[in-house]
């Protein structure tokens, strides 16, 4: 584990473009080492569909042990559409890790970087800077691998527990407080479907209880359908949003699409002790090996990792390093870099070179 400013990072590059975006993130962190006094030891380990094809397992036990011993986990992207378990579900170590390490808070920031196009009229003037917090171990995903299918019907069960909901809401209120201290609105919105389902009414009632412990945070409550409609009209009205697992899965893809697409979107899955950092995008096998992958989401996920390590270990220089990476990315896009997913001509190497130069 960490000693002073030295951190051991487990690196799970995964499948498809996962290794292609992981390499630039490691390069950026090596550059940060030279500037910040931080030190990183990277240990690579297999995970994903390729490993499943070779061994019959999504991850060997040695990968899980490495993740348990490391200070943080960097994950590229895992799974391939053509590789499936016998029940026809995809290989998804990224989801399995959430259950193994109790990573209940899925943090999905969506910040519109200068120079990046948004489909929302006025976003370039008003800005978008919000965070979706997706509960990552329960909800509808609690039924993963446990659903019952017969000839006549199929059933999955949603699970919401008090213990996980309380931790999730405490995490969300603390994040809203930290954002307020940094000049953000500091508002937290609970997103649910409490008008229809008892489980979501239970979810909201726990939110109401935790709210009393954080009177300085402004709060709101929205049904997920209304929230989705508002997001594509006035995303600048949102700050932090917290929701059930499946809702968060969908809403976080919506918010990523508002800031340039999944290639621009970082994420983290955080628990009380462990955390995984990965881009929101998938393995994109259709562009694998062509140098077209956008590494920005992976690079920004590494910046999120530094901020988390700073908070966890009290190493302020790590937080400053994370901010340095974000500023470098902003500078690159403001300067005209345009990934291929935007219709531009800049691929993985161009974006990586530009960010390294900006650092």
């Amino acid at each position: 584990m960490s000693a002073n400013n030295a951190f051991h990072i487990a690196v799970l590059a995964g499948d498809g473009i996962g290794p292609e975006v992981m390499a630039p993130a490691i390069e950026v962190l090596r550059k940060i080492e030279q500037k910040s006094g931080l030190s990183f030891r990277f240990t690579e380990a297999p995970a994903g569909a390729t490993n499943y094809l070779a061994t019959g397992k999504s991850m060997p036990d040695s990968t899980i042990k490495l993740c348990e011993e490391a200070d943080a986990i960097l994950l590229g992207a895992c799974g391939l559409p053509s590789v499936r378990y016998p029940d026809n579900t995809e290989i998804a170590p990224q989801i399995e890790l959430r259950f193994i390490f109790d990573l209940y808070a899925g943090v999905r920031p969506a910040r519109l970087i200068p120079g990046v196009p948004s489909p929302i009229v006025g976003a370039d003037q008003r800005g978008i800077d919000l965070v979706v917090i997706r509960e990552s171990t329960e909800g509808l995903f609690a039924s993963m691998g446990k659903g019952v299918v017969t000839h006549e019907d199929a059933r999955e069960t949603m699970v919401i527990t008090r213990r996980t909901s309380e931790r999730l809401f405490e995490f969300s209120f603390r994040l809203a407080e930290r954002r307020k201290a940094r000049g953000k609105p500091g508002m937290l919105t609970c997103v649910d479907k409490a008008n229809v389902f008892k489980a979501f009414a239970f979810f909201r009632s726990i939110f109401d209880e935790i709210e009393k412990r954080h009177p300085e945070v402004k709060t709101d409550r929205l049904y997920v359908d209304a929230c989705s409609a508002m997001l594509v009209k006035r995303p600048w009205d949102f700050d932090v949003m917290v929701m059930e697992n499946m809702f968060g899965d969908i809403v976080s893809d919506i918010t990523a699409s508002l800031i340039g697409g999944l290639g621009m979107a970082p994420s983290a899955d955080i628990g009380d002790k462990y955390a995984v950092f990965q881009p929101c995008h998938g393995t994109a096998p259709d562009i694998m090996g062509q140098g077209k992958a956008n590494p920005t989401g992976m690079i920004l996920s590494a910046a999120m990792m530094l901020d988390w390590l700073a908070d966890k270990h009290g190493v302020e220089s790590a937080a400053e390093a994370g901010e340095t990476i974000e500023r470098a990315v902003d500078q690159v896009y403001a300067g005209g870099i345009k990934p291929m997913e935007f219709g531009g001509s800049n691929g993985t190497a161009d974006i990586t070179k530009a960010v390294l130069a900006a650092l």
Side-chain angles (χ1 to χ4, degrees), residues 58-123:
S58 66
M59 292 179 287
D61 292 341
S62 57
T63 294
I64 297 171
K65 188 173 190 298
L66 168 67
C67 292
E68 186 176 4
E69 294 173 347
D71 292 298
I73 305 158
L74 276 181
L75 181 65
C78 291
L80 294 170
S82 60
V83 182
R84 305 262 174 165
Y85 286 120
D87 65 359
N88 204 39
T89 57
E90 287 191 31
I91 314 304
Q94 65 273 28
I95 298 177
E96 295 166 25
L97 287 168
R98 296 169 194 166
F99 291 105
I100 293 169
F101 293 113
D102 194 19
L103 310 178
Y104 55 85
V107 183
R108 309 289 189 265
R111 182 175 65 90
L112 185 61
I113 292 172
V116 175
S118 172
I120 306 301
V121 175

Side-chain angles (χ1 to χ4, degrees), residues 205-241:
S205 70
I206 298 171
F207 178 85
D208 293 342
E209 293 174 14
I210 303 301
E211 177 191 25
K212 296 173 184 175
R213 305 175 192 171
H214 301 270
E216 67 281 12
V217 176
K218 295 180 291 185
T219 61
D220 197 5
R221 294 143 184 83
L222 284 174
Y223 302 134
V224 67
D225 45 348
C227 174
S228 300
M230 292 171 66
L231 273 172
V232 296
K233 289 183 177 181
R234 298 179 58 85
W236 43 81
D237 286 345
F238 291 92
D239 187 21
V240 183
M241 298 180 286

Side-chain angles (χ1 to χ4, degrees), residues 32-352:
I32 286 294
E33 273 187 316
Q34 301 170 16
K35 299 170 61 66
S36 66
L38 299 172
S39 175
F40 303 107
R41 177 164 62 94
F42 300 106
T43 305
E44 297 184 9
T50 305
N51 192 75
Y52 177 78
L53 286 175
T55 68
K57 296 181 70 174
S58 66
M59 292 179 287
D61 292 341
S62 57
T63 294
I64 297 171
K65 188 173 190 298
L66 168 67
C67 292
E68 186 176 4
E69 294 173 347
D71 292 298
I73 305 158
L74 276 181
L75 181 65
C78 291
L80 294 170
S82 60
V83 182
R84 305 262 174 165
Y85 286 120
D87 65 359
N88 204 39
T89 57
E90 287 191 31
I91 314 304
Q94 65 273 28
I95 298 177
E96 295 166 25
L97 287 168
R98 296 169 194 166
F99 291 105
I100 293 169
F101 293 113
D102 194 19
L103 310 178
Y104 55 85
V107 183
R108 309 289 189 265
R111 182 175 65 90
L112 185 61
I113 292 172
V116 175
S118 172
I120 306 301
V121 175
D124 52 342
Q125 287 87 34
R126 301 294 298 270
I128 299 172
D129 188 349
L130 56 85
V131 182
V132 172
I133 301 179
R134 164 193 179 186
E135 196 290 312
S136 291
T137 61
E138 298 183 343
L140 197 54
F141 278 74
S143 190
M144 192 179 75
K146 304 172 186 175
V148 177
V149 180
T150 70
H151 180 70
E152 300 299 330
D153 62 21
R155 297 171 186 266
E156 305 276 6
T157 302
M158 181 169 67
V159 176
I160 291 177
T161 68
R162 172 171 289 278
R163 176 176 180 269
T164 296
S165 298
E166 287 178 344
R167 290 187 298 164
L168 177 74
F169 293 140
E170 283 288 356
F171 180 96
S172 302
F173 274 102
R174 289 197 303 271
L175 178 60
E177 289 166 352
R178 289 200 302 275
R179 283 174 63 84
K180 185 176 182 180
R182 295 175 180 178
K184 310 296 183 185
M187 183 177 76
L188 179 61
T189 302
C190 180
V191 180
D192 56 45
K193 198 65 179 169
N195 57 330
V196 176
F197 295 100
K198 291 181 179 180
F200 284 118
F202 176 69
F203 187 74
R204 183 180 287 201
S205 70
I206 298 171
F207 178 85
D208 293 342
E209 293 174 14
I210 303 301
E211 177 191 25
K212 296 173 184 175
R213 305 175 192 171
H214 301 270
E216 67 281 12
V217 176
K218 295 180 291 185
T219 61
D220 197 5
R221 294 143 184 83
L222 284 174
Y223 302 134
V224 67
D225 45 348
C227 174
S228 300
M230 292 171 66
L231 273 172
V232 296
K233 289 183 177 181
R234 298 179 58 85
W236 43 81
D237 286 345
F238 291 92
D239 187 21
V240 183
M241 298 180 286
V242 59
M243 61 200 73
E244 177 269 341
N245 207 334
M246 180 60 83
F247 288 169
D249 189 22
I250 297 166
V251 170
S252 61
D253 273 18
I254 294 175
T255 56
S257 72
L258 306 182
I259 60 162
L262 292 173
M264 299 296 300
S267 78
D269 290 298
I270 298 174
D272 291 335
K273 185 176 180 182
Y274 302 96
V276 173
F277 301 86
Q278 66 179 109
C280 285
H281 63 71
T283 55
D286 57 319
I287 62 169
M288 178 176 60
Q290 300 174 41
K292 296 179 178 179
N294 182 356
T296 305
M298 185 76 247
I299 291 170
L300 291 174
S301 295
M304 288 183 70
M305 179 187 74
L306 293 176
D307 188 66
W308 179 77
L309 287 169
D311 185 58
K312 184 173 176 61
H313 297 285
V315 180
E316 184 59 33
S317 60
E320 294 169 357
E323 292 173 358
T324 298
I325 293 173
E326 290 184 354
R327 286 195 299 269
V329 170
D330 286 6
Q331 179 181 330
V332 162
Y333 278 92
I337 277 282
K338 194 173 183 182
M340 294 181 183
E341 63 197 288
F342 301 167
S345 60
N346 299 120
T348 314
D350 288 344
I351 298 168
T352 304

